[in-house]
Amino acid sequence: MPTNLPAEAQKALAKYQVARTIPEKIKALEEALSLIPDHKGTEKLRGQLKRRIAELKREAERKAAAKTSRRDFFTVSKEGDSQVVIIGSTNSGKSSLLRALTNAKPIVAPYPFSTDKPTPGMMYYEDVEIQLVELPAILTEELEETQYTSRSLGLVKNSDGVIILLDGLNNPVKQLEKILELLDEAGISIKPKKGEIIIEKKDSGGIRIVTFGKFHGTYREVEELLRNVGIKNAVVKIYGDASIEDLEETIIRETIYKKALIVLNKVDAVQSTELNKLKNMIENLQIPFTFISAEKKENLEDLKEKIFKSLRLIRVYTQKDGVVSRKPIVMNENATVRELAERIHKDLARKMKYARIWGRSVKIQGQQVGSDHILQDGDIIEIYAS
Ligand SMILES: Nc1nc2c(ncn2[C@@H]2O[C@H](COP(=O)(O)OP(=O)(O)OP(=O)(O)O)[C@@H](O)[C@H]2O)c(=O)[nH]1
Ligand SMILES: [Mg+2]
């Protein structure tokens, strides 16, 4: 972001940060755009603002459309350790897959739109409960949007991960292109990023940066950028590899990142030329991919493992008085001891003095660690509190 934005433009961007409603956001961004001079140095920022305005306008249209249909049937409460939604065109085999992997018994039928509401089922994988949810089709057989598209995409935003299930018998390459477009328009990014940035706005304390990886930028740049958009107090957490441009994107585009897995169904009947075309396309995307037959139950064990891996979860076992819990606490990768303590009990994080760990995250088994320590899959932890 250019550091010498006009003060009025900075004010407008600050308004955007605190705006609650879509119209407020659009107004603030349009104001900012009109106040930022058009030249080489501002080109990128202006582009991002324009794109965000277009997205917000589309979101507003969708919301208006969804209001007229009944919303209450279109929810699903989260259960288990993680929620993965299954999206795809109609007849791609979403219900067949849900039947094959979980205890749920949705209708499987050769006609379109046999599933008209989100339908959950529970899948078990190595001590972890993963809730799979079939979402009503987001594309027709002709690969056009459906009456469910916007509401189903809304549930994608709320999930922990998404399976894109492609119908191998209905031009899967075109299907995938359409689905990627729909996700992008809805502000959902599934491209694996080298890093992740989380901004936690605070009431005081200034700007603090915590890096769990490599950040290509300086403290001054971060402070300046945040000040430009009216954020004075915040903790900026940077995981993996990230740049100042990534931070910019996080702030302006409000893109939600979702872990994703692309699955081609009906491999029992797919022609190998189709399969190869799709493989070529996916290679460039760098999103994990597998192919199955939900009906013939082919390659489902591999799929289960890929679902689990794509979620990048870790299992942590608690120990009390020498006894290790049988069921793990399931957390996201990079979770800290503090986050684990918070999960066990709200007060525990505050009362915690230290913890001892056995497992891969420590060099010495039984090592004493503090609350910022990052946990790893399979760790055993004993927390000592006052
Ligand atoms: N050959 C083959 N056909 C399959 C496979 N999986 C599903 N089908 C068929 O595809 C059709 C649609 O299956 P469903 O599981 O109902 O598809 P869906 O995605 O849930 O469809 P809607 O909910 O109606 O949008 C059915 O006729 C299934 O028998 C598969 O692995 N191979
Ligand atoms: Mg179905």
Side-chain angles (χ1 to χ4, degrees):
M1 191 176 284
T3 51
N4 50 352
L5 285 184
E8 290 302 312
Q10 288 186 22
K11 254 193 219 157
L13 287 172
K15 261 193 238 163
Y16 168 62
Q17 286 302 312
V18 294
R20 295 243 173 264
T21 65
I22 294 177
E24 273 171 31
K25 285 183 185 178
I26 294 174
K27 195 166 160 242
L29 287 181
E30 281 178 337
E31 199 182 325
L33 191 60
S34 72
L35 293 164
I36 297 170
D38 191 359
H39 58 73
K40 194 99 199 94
T42 58
E43 201 174 32
K44 240 178 110 186
L45 175 63
R46 287 177 58 91
Q48 274 177 332
L49 293 178
K50 281 182 196 160
R51 200 170 155 168
R52 184 70 193 129
I53 290 169
E55 277 170 3
L56 285 166
K57 287 189 171 162
R58 219 170 292 128
E59 208 176 315
E61 277 169 27
R62 286 218 169 105
K63 283 226 163 105
K67 241 190 189 157
T68 50
S69 49
R70 296 182 61 172
R71 252 184 177 274
D72 22 337
F73 287 110
F74 224 91
T75 55
V76 115
S77 55
K78 280 197 182 190
E79 273 170 37
D81 298 311
S82 199
Q83 185 191 65
V84 175
V85 294
I86 306 170
I87 60 169
S89 63
T90 192
N91 279 341
S92 61
K94 300 178 295 302
S95 294
S96 307
L97 181 61
L98 193 68
R99 266 180 178 263
L101 296 184
T102 74
N103 48 352
K105 295 273 175 274
I107 300 168
V108 170
Y111 52 81
F113 307 116
S114 44
T115 306
D116 61 2
K117 50 173 150 319
T119 308
M122 197 63 84
M123 177 183 108
Y124 301 91
Y125 186 84
E126 295 199 350
D127 287 347
V128 180
E129 295 175 2
I130 298 172
Q131 183 189 42
L132 298 182
V133 183
E134 174 184 5
L135 298 181
I138 59 170
L139 290 175
T140 63
E141 280 175 308
E142 291 73 35
L143 309 184
E144 305 286 343
E145 286 188 36
T146 74
Q147 61 177 123
Y148 308 112
T149 305
S150 77
R151 282 176 292 165
S152 285
L153 290 176
L155 292 191
V156 174
K157 286 192 177 175
N158 202 29
S159 71
D160 300 308
V162 54
I163 294 175
I164 299 172
L165 189 67
L166 302 174
D167 184 343
L169 301 181
N170 185 18
N171 199 347
V173 171
K174 182 103 184 282
Q175 260 175 75
L176 182 56
E177 279 169 3
K178 284 270 179 180
I179 292 172
L180 293 178
E181 246 174 64
L182 287 174
L183 288 170
D184 191 58
E185 281 174 12
I188 302 165
S189 154
I190 58 166
K191 272 233 174 94
K193 276 190 253 165
K194 281 187 282 171
E196 190 185 358
I197 301 175
I198 295 171
I199 300 170
E200 295 170 359
K201 293 180 194 168
K202 304 272 180 202
D203 294 329
S204 59
I207 304 293
R208 206 157 72 87
I209 306 176
V210 194
T211 43
F212 300 99
K214 210 163 164 196
F215 178 59
H216 307 273
T218 63
Y219 178 80
R220 256 193 70 92
E221 282 175 309
V222 175
E223 203 189 17
E224 191 116 25
L225 175 55
L226 292 179
R227 190 153 28 82
N228 261 340
V229 300
I231 302 174
K232 296 194 184 76
N233 303 297
V235 179
V236 181
K237 288 186 182 166
I238 296 165
Y239 299 97
D241 223 336
S243 65
I244 198 85
E245 283 76 28
D246 294 325
L247 180 63
E248 230 173 271
E249 167 132 356
T250 310
I251 293 172
I252 307 276
R253 285 210 57 213
E254 302 181 287
T255 313
I256 305 181
Y257 172 72
K258 284 293 159 204
K259 295 159 183 164
L261 179 61
I262 299 171
V263 180
L264 178 81
N265 188 29
K266 311 192 184 180
V267 76
D268 56 289
V270 177
Q271 288 186 336
S272 59
T273 47
E274 280 298 295
L275 196 61
N276 286 334
K277 265 199 277 174
L278 188 70
K279 274 186 187 159
N280 281 338
M281 178 184 174
I282 291 171
E283 243 167 55
N284 299 323
L285 291 174
Q286 295 176 305
I287 297 167
F289 166 65
T290 190
F291 38 85
I292 59 158
S293 167
E295 204 164 75
K296 301 265 173 353
K297 305 220 180 334
E298 280 172 38
N299 212 22
L300 293 183
E301 276 314 305
D302 170 69
L303 173 60
K304 277 176 123 175
E305 187 185 328
K306 287 217 166 77
I307 295 172
F308 175 71
K309 287 221 169 111
S310 72
L311 290 168
R312 298 198 296 274
L313 299 171
I314 60 168
R315 292 156 291 187
V316 181
Y317 298 81
T318 53
Q319 170 171 298
K320 199 154 199 241
D321 307 325
V323 183
V324 180
S325 66
R326 269 204 295 152
K327 239 191 96 58
I329 296 177
V330 179
M331 313 275 302
N332 283 323
E333 122 189 304
N334 290 322
T336 60
V337 168
R338 180 183 298 109
E339 284 160 341
L340 181 100
E342 277 166 0
R343 177 79 76 81
I344 298 171
H345 194 278
K346 219 170 169 269
D347 290 340
L348 186 57
R350 211 166 27 83
K351 289 185 181 154
M352 178 186 134
K353 285 198 293 199
Y354 65 95
R356 276 189 198 287
I357 295 195
W358 293 260
R360 278 195 280 154
S361 75
V362 288
K363 285 207 184 80
I364 304 157
Q365 295 309 305
Q367 192 175 317
Q368 189 170 322
V369 300
S371 52
D372 283 332
H373 179 79
I374 294 180
L375 295 158
Q376 288 209 24
D377 190 34
D379 277 356
I380 296 172
I381 183 169
E382 182 146 7
I383 295 177
Y384 299 85
S386 54

